[in-house]
Structure formats: structure tokens, C-alpha cells
């Protein structure tokens, strides 16, 4: 289970450049309990306690051996820094389809495009982050796929990466902190994970 430090290009995910060169705040879609869009909110404000329910996505990519690609979130991130989590997660821009956002963000964070990407359901959760005091109130769209190309992680987003078997994942979870949402999203996505990786992979 080799763990690879991130190297690559840098980018800031807290703001997007405007046409005049200034940074515009990132806006998220607020949703109701059924996942219907009801408005927008600035990214940080949506995570302030008690949190506002917003649309998100989580990606799980596997290599040809059926190993899951994990990332350790960069130490400089404002939310859940330094914890291990799934391949990629984030928020669609307003009116951006979650599938498009998942593929876009995977490229931005890890420098690679999924070879395959399938929808794997949705899950709604409420997870406070004890370290930052922020709250994840998310309606999360899940995607499972495969990756074949080499990674070029953005070090401002990703501290380290690792491909793991189920047994190696259990070992990592005993030693290190994982994101509060990790098991919720993995357990919900498991049926599609098994379809893609096959019985031998053990997921």
C-alpha cells in the first residue's frame, strides 16, 4: 500500500477568478430534503453551524486490481484538513450537473480523468467537523468508476494518495483519521462498487 505525496499544479478552490482579475466567491446549490434546488449560498456560509443543506458529490475510483484510490486532504484546507477520504468530493456550481462536476473536480484535484464513471445513488447526512466547527449538511450524489492514467495531484488540495484493498483500508482507518462522511458515502455506493470491481476485489 504505497502512499504517494502530492506533486503538481496549484489551484485555489475557495474562489474563482473574475473577468477583472479579482476572486469571486464560490456559490453552492441549496436543496430541500428531496434534493430539489431551492436557492444558492456562498460556500463557507453554507458550512457554518448549524449548516445549510446543499448539493455535493463524492467519487470513488478503482484501479485495474480493484483497489480504491484514496486521498489525504491537504493540510491547508479550511474544512477537514489532513484527513483521509474518498477519491474526490466537492460541490457542483449552481446549475452544473453533479456528474459533470464530479468529472471536473477529479481532474482539478488529481490531474486525471476517470476512464469510467457511473452514478451510484444519493445519501443525505449531517456531520459536524470538530476541528473547524463547520458542519456538512449535504445531499450527496455518488459516483463510482475506474482510473488508468497516472495521477498529478494538486498539492493545495491533496496531501497524499494511496490505492488500497479492503483490508488495507481497514488498517488505515485504525491508524489515521478519515473524513466524517467517508463511511456513509462508501456504504451507500457499495452495490455499484461491487458491480464495477467484481467479487474478487472484496468490496
Amino acid at each position: 500500500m504505497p502512499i504517494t505525496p502530492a506533486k503538481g499544479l496549484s489551484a485555489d478552490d475557495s474562489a474563482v477568478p473574475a473577468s477583472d482579475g479579482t476572486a469571486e466567491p464560490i456559490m453552492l446549490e441549496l436543496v430541500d430534503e428531496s434534493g430539489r434546488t431551492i436557492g444558492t449560498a456562498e460556500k463557507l456560509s453554507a458550512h457554518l453551524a448549524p449548516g445549510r443543506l446543499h448539493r455535493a458529490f463524492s467519487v470513488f475510483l478503482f484501479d485495474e486490481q480493484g483497489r480504491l484510490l484514496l486521498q489525504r486532504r491537504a493540510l491547508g484546507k479550511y474544512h477537514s484538513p489532513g484527513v483521509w477520504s474518498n477519491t474526490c468530493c466537492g460541490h457542483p456550481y449552481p446549475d452544473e450537473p453533479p456528474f459533470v462536476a464530479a468529472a471536473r473536480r477529479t481532474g482539478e484535484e488529481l490531474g486525471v480523468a476517470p476512464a469510467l464513471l457511473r452514478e451510484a445513488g444519493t445519501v443525505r447526512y449531517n456531520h459536524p467537523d470538530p476541528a473547524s466547527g463547520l458542519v456538512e449538511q449535504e445531499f450527496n450524489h455518488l459516483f463510482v468508476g475506474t482510473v488508468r492514467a497516472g495521477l498529478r495531484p494538486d498539492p493545495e488540495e491533496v496531501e497524499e494518495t494511496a490505492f488500497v484493498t479492503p483490508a488495507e483500508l481497514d488498517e488505515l482507518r485504525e491508524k489515521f483519521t478519515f473524513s466524517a462522511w467517508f463511511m456513509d458515502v462508501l456504504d451507500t455506493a457499495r452495490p455499484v462498487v461491487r458491480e464495477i470491481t467484481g467479487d474478487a476485489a472484496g468490496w
Side-chain angles (χ1 to χ4, degrees):
M1 180 183 52
I3 295 176
T4 307
K7 298 177 183 177
L9 303 176
S10 298
D12 181 3
D13 76 337
S14 63
V16 292
S19 58
D20 62 0
T22 62
E24 294 181 350
I26 290 179
M27 304 300 290
L28 309 185
E29 280 190 353
L30 301 179
V31 301
D32 63 17
E33 292 292 339
S34 66
R36 182 178 57 192
T37 301
I38 59 173
T40 61
E42 188 274 327
K43 181 178 179 181
L44 180 58
S45 71
H47 291 87
L48 296 176
R52 304 177 73 184
L53 184 59
H54 57 275
R55 195 177 310 283
F57 63 83
S58 289
V59 178
F60 296 85
L61 296 183
F62 296 81
D63 66 9
E64 294 179 349
Q65 288 76 49
R67 299 179 302 170
L68 171 60
L69 172 59
L70 299 176
Q71 68 156 278
R72 182 175 171 231
R73 293 164 62 86
L75 298 176
K77 292 184 76 69
Y78 75 94
H79 192 323
S80 301
V83 305
W84 285 93
S85 197
N86 49 291
T87 306
C88 178
C89 54
H91 310 91
Y93 296 133
D95 299 322
E96 181 183 30
F99 184 94
V100 173
R104 169 183 60 78
R105 196 65 187 145
T106 300
E108 290 172 356
E109 290 192 7
L110 294 160
V112 67
L116 169 74
L117 197 62
R118 282 181 50 186
E119 295 183 3
T122 60
V123 61
R124 192 261 196 252
Y125 51 72
N126 174 6
H127 286 302
D129 174 30
S132 67
L134 301 176
V135 178
E136 287 288 11
Q137 287 265 18
E138 292 191 332
F139 188 93
N140 199 320
H141 298 254
L142 309 180
F143 299 93
V144 176
T146 58
V147 60
R148 295 176 185 166
L151 306 177
R152 294 181 62 238
D154 177 354
E156 290 194 6
E157 299 291 339
V158 180
E159 194 73 20
E160 299 171 295
T161 60
F163 284 94
V164 299
T165 65
E168 289 169 339
L169 174 59
D170 290 342
E171 292 176 11
L172 270 183
R173 291 185 63 225
E174 289 180 0
K175 296 177 181 178
F176 300 104
T177 302
F178 273 66
S179 61
W181 60 87
F182 177 77
M183 288 309 300
D184 281 344
V185 293
L186 176 58
D187 287 342
T188 304
R190 249 182 237 277
V192 178
V193 169
R194 290 169 180 149
E195 289 178 13
I196 287 179
T197 61
D199 294 339
W203 294 102

